[in-house]
Amino acid sequence: MAKYNFEFKKKVVMEYLEGETVKQRLQREKTIPVIDALNIIMPIVDAMEKIHAENIIHRDISPDNIILTNDGRVKLIDFGAAKFSTTIHSKSLSVLVKPGFAAEEQYSGRNIVDVYSIAATFYNMVTGVVPKDSMERAVKDDLKSPAKLGVNIPKNIDIAIMNALNRQFTDRTRDCTAFKREINDL
């Protein structure tokens, strides 16, 4: 009688989405107007607020993981790197970084936060520039705000982006709720 060795692997299936990534749009248009970028980023912030409430972190938010569908929806994809963020689980997190979109503490695998990545994506959309990698900023932090790069942006949004991109974790915007509050603080 033949013996069979079956290997079961976890597979991820997602819905088929027609559209383009934010990265593709940026490649074509170079920047995205602030109001359009806000309309893209806020659904991501709202979704992450709910996901974080379940103690899950995405760990890979960037322009290539946000789809702008042909029917006008904004979808965050690629939860393959997502992990539980409880103390028990976070000790075993593997390190996953995307230079320019990862907070400094993400390199060590601790205190991983998505707010930094959301702000880096927002920054990239309105400036056309990928923020300097957080590890490089540890040596010399000369990241200029969107306003200082010539972007016509409301002061509260400019400040919210820079607060969330703060290199020091202890000084950074703590969560999506606080980030929304800062953006809406007129």
Side-chain angles (χ1 to χ4, degrees), residues 136-148:
E136 291 176 34
R137 289 176 60 207
V139 176
K140 182 180 180 189
D141 192 359
D142 57 0
L143 184 68
K144 290 181 175 47
S145 75
K148 287 184 179 172

PDB file of all heavy atoms in Angstrom, residues 136-148:
ATOM      1  N   GLU A 136      18.351  55.798   9.385  1.00  0.00           N
ATOM      2  CA  GLU A 136      19.228  56.888   8.957  1.00  0.00           C
ATOM      3  C   GLU A 136      18.908  58.159   9.738  1.00  0.00           C
ATOM      4  O   GLU A 136      19.806  58.943  10.049  1.00  0.00           O
ATOM      5  CB  GLU A 136      19.074  57.147   7.463  1.00  0.00           C
ATOM      6  CG  GLU A 136      19.604  56.043   6.584  1.00  0.00           C
ATOM      7  CD  GLU A 136      19.333  56.308   5.108  1.00  0.00           C
ATOM      8  OE1 GLU A 136      19.355  57.483   4.707  1.00  0.00           O
ATOM      9  OE2 GLU A 136      19.093  55.336   4.382  1.00  0.00           O
ATOM     10  N   ARG A 137      17.633  58.352  10.055  1.00  0.00           N
ATOM     11  CA  ARG A 137      17.226  59.528  10.820  1.00  0.00           C
ATOM     12  C   ARG A 137      17.765  59.482  12.248  1.00  0.00           C
ATOM     13  O   ARG A 137      17.854  60.522  12.904  1.00  0.00           O
ATOM     14  CB  ARG A 137      15.700  59.648  10.833  1.00  0.00           C
ATOM     15  CG  ARG A 137      15.150  60.047   9.470  1.00  0.00           C
ATOM     16  CD  ARG A 137      13.636  60.071   9.436  1.00  0.00           C
ATOM     17  NE  ARG A 137      13.111  61.015  10.403  1.00  0.00           N
ATOM     18  CZ  ARG A 137      11.914  60.902  10.965  1.00  0.00           C
ATOM     19  NH1 ARG A 137      11.115  59.888  10.656  1.00  0.00           N
ATOM     20  NH2 ARG A 137      11.498  61.798  11.831  1.00  0.00           N
ATOM     21  N   ALA A 138      18.139  58.312  12.742  1.00  0.00           N
ATOM     22  CA  ALA A 138      18.710  58.195  14.081  1.00  0.00           C
ATOM     23  C   ALA A 138      20.057  58.906  14.139  1.00  0.00           C
ATOM     24  O   ALA A 138      20.437  59.443  15.176  1.00  0.00           O
ATOM     25  CB  ALA A 138      18.865  56.727  14.472  1.00  0.00           C
ATOM     26  N   VAL A 139      20.771  58.924  13.024  1.00  0.00           N
ATOM     27  CA  VAL A 139      22.065  59.584  12.950  1.00  0.00           C
ATOM     28  C   VAL A 139      21.875  61.091  12.768  1.00  0.00           C
ATOM     29  O   VAL A 139      22.471  61.898  13.464  1.00  0.00           O
ATOM     30  CB  VAL A 139      22.915  59.005  11.789  1.00  0.00           C
ATOM     31  CG1 VAL A 139      24.219  59.749  11.641  1.00  0.00           C
ATOM     32  CG2 VAL A 139      23.149  57.520  12.008  1.00  0.00           C
ATOM     33  N   LYS A 140      21.036  61.466  11.814  1.00  0.00           N
ATOM     34  CA  LYS A 140      20.757  62.880  11.538  1.00  0.00           C
ATOM     35  C   LYS A 140      19.310  62.989  11.085  1.00  0.00           C
ATOM     36  O   LYS A 140      18.955  62.566   9.993  1.00  0.00           O
ATOM     37  CB  LYS A 140      21.691  63.420  10.465  1.00  0.00           C
ATOM     38  CG  LYS A 140      21.458  64.891  10.180  1.00  0.00           C
ATOM     39  CD  LYS A 140      22.396  65.414   9.120  1.00  0.00           C
ATOM     40  CE  LYS A 140      22.101  66.884   8.881  1.00  0.00           C
ATOM     41  NZ  LYS A 140      22.831  67.386   7.730  1.00  0.00           N
ATOM     42  N   ASP A 141      18.488  63.559  11.938  1.00  0.00           N
ATOM     43  CA  ASP A 141      17.064  63.680  11.626  1.00  0.00           C
ATOM     44  C   ASP A 141      16.796  65.032  10.978  1.00  0.00           C
ATOM     45  O   ASP A 141      16.603  66.033  11.652  1.00  0.00           O
ATOM     46  CB  ASP A 141      16.214  63.508  12.884  1.00  0.00           C
ATOM     47  CG  ASP A 141      14.742  63.338  12.563  1.00  0.00           C
ATOM     48  OD1 ASP A 141      14.388  63.370  11.362  1.00  0.00           O
ATOM     49  OD2 ASP A 141      13.948  63.168  13.498  1.00  0.00           O
ATOM     50  N   ASP A 142      16.806  65.037   9.651  1.00  0.00           N
ATOM     51  CA  ASP A 142      16.568  66.271   8.919  1.00  0.00           C
ATOM     52  C   ASP A 142      15.324  66.176   8.029  1.00  0.00           C
ATOM     53  O   ASP A 142      15.227  66.852   7.002  1.00  0.00           O
ATOM     54  CB  ASP A 142      17.793  66.660   8.093  1.00  0.00           C
ATOM     55  CG  ASP A 142      18.220  65.564   7.117  1.00  0.00           C
ATOM     56  OD1 ASP A 142      17.574  64.504   7.077  1.00  0.00           O
ATOM     57  OD2 ASP A 142      19.216  65.783   6.396  1.00  0.00           O
ATOM     58  N   LEU A 143      14.373  65.346   8.455  1.00  0.00           N
ATOM     59  CA  LEU A 143      13.135  65.187   7.693  1.00  0.00           C
ATOM     60  C   LEU A 143      12.360  66.507   7.730  1.00  0.00           C
ATOM     61  O   LEU A 143      12.034  67.012   8.791  1.00  0.00           O
ATOM     62  CB  LEU A 143      12.283  64.053   8.278  1.00  0.00           C
ATOM     63  CG  LEU A 143      10.999  63.734   7.513  1.00  0.00           C
ATOM     64  CD1 LEU A 143      11.327  63.135   6.144  1.00  0.00           C
ATOM     65  CD2 LEU A 143      10.140  62.766   8.313  1.00  0.00           C
ATOM     66  N   LYS A 144      12.091  67.046   6.552  1.00  0.00           N
ATOM     67  CA  LYS A 144      11.357  68.305   6.444  1.00  0.00           C
ATOM     68  C   LYS A 144       9.867  68.019   6.311  1.00  0.00           C
ATOM     69  O   LYS A 144       9.461  67.059   5.662  1.00  0.00           O
ATOM     70  CB  LYS A 144      11.845  69.090   5.232  1.00  0.00           C
ATOM     71  CG  LYS A 144      13.247  69.642   5.390  1.00  0.00           C
ATOM     72  CD  LYS A 144      13.650  70.429   4.159  1.00  0.00           C
ATOM     73  CE  LYS A 144      14.978  71.103   4.294  1.00  0.00           C
ATOM     74  NZ  LYS A 144      16.062  70.366   4.790  1.00  0.00           N
ATOM     75  N   SER A 145       9.071  68.874   6.907  1.00  0.00           N
ATOM     76  CA  SER A 145       7.620  68.709   6.833  1.00  0.00           C
ATOM     77  C   SER A 145       7.148  68.957   5.401  1.00  0.00           C
ATOM     78  O   SER A 145       7.840  69.622   4.614  1.00  0.00           O
ATOM     79  CB  SER A 145       6.932  69.690   7.785  1.00  0.00           C
ATOM     80  OG  SER A 145       6.964  70.999   7.250  1.00  0.00           O
ATOM     81  N   PRO A 146       5.961  68.448   5.051  1.00  0.00           N
ATOM     82  CA  PRO A 146       5.429  68.724   3.716  1.00  0.00           C
ATOM     83  C   PRO A 146       5.365  70.227   3.418  1.00  0.00           C
ATOM     84  O   PRO A 146       5.711  70.662   2.310  1.00  0.00           O
ATOM     85  CB  PRO A 146       4.041  68.085   3.753  1.00  0.00           C
ATOM     86  CG  PRO A 146       4.195  66.944   4.714  1.00  0.00           C
ATOM     87  CD  PRO A 146       5.126  67.492   5.776  1.00  0.00           C
ATOM     88  N   ALA A 147       4.951  71.027   4.394  1.00  0.00           N
ATOM     89  CA  ALA A 147       4.874  72.479   4.185  1.00  0.00           C
ATOM     90  C   ALA A 147       6.246  73.058   3.848  1.00  0.00           C
ATOM     91  O   ALA A 147       6.360  73.911   2.957  1.00  0.00           O
ATOM     92  CB  ALA A 147       4.294  73.160   5.421  1.00  0.00           C
ATOM     93  N   LYS A 148       7.290  72.581   4.526  1.00  0.00           N
ATOM     94  CA  LYS A 148       8.640  73.082   4.255  1.00  0.00           C
ATOM     95  C   LYS A 148       9.173  72.609   2.904  1.00  0.00           C
ATOM     96  O   LYS A 148      10.127  73.180   2.384  1.00  0.00           O
ATOM     97  CB  LYS A 148       9.592  72.685   5.380  1.00  0.00           C
ATOM     98  CG  LYS A 148       9.344  73.478   6.647  1.00  0.00           C
ATOM     99  CD  LYS A 148      10.341  73.168   7.725  1.00  0.00           C
ATOM    100  CE  LYS A 148      10.029  74.033   8.942  1.00  0.00           C
ATOM    101  NZ  LYS A 148      10.830  73.657  10.100  1.00  0.00           N
TER     102      LYS A 148
END
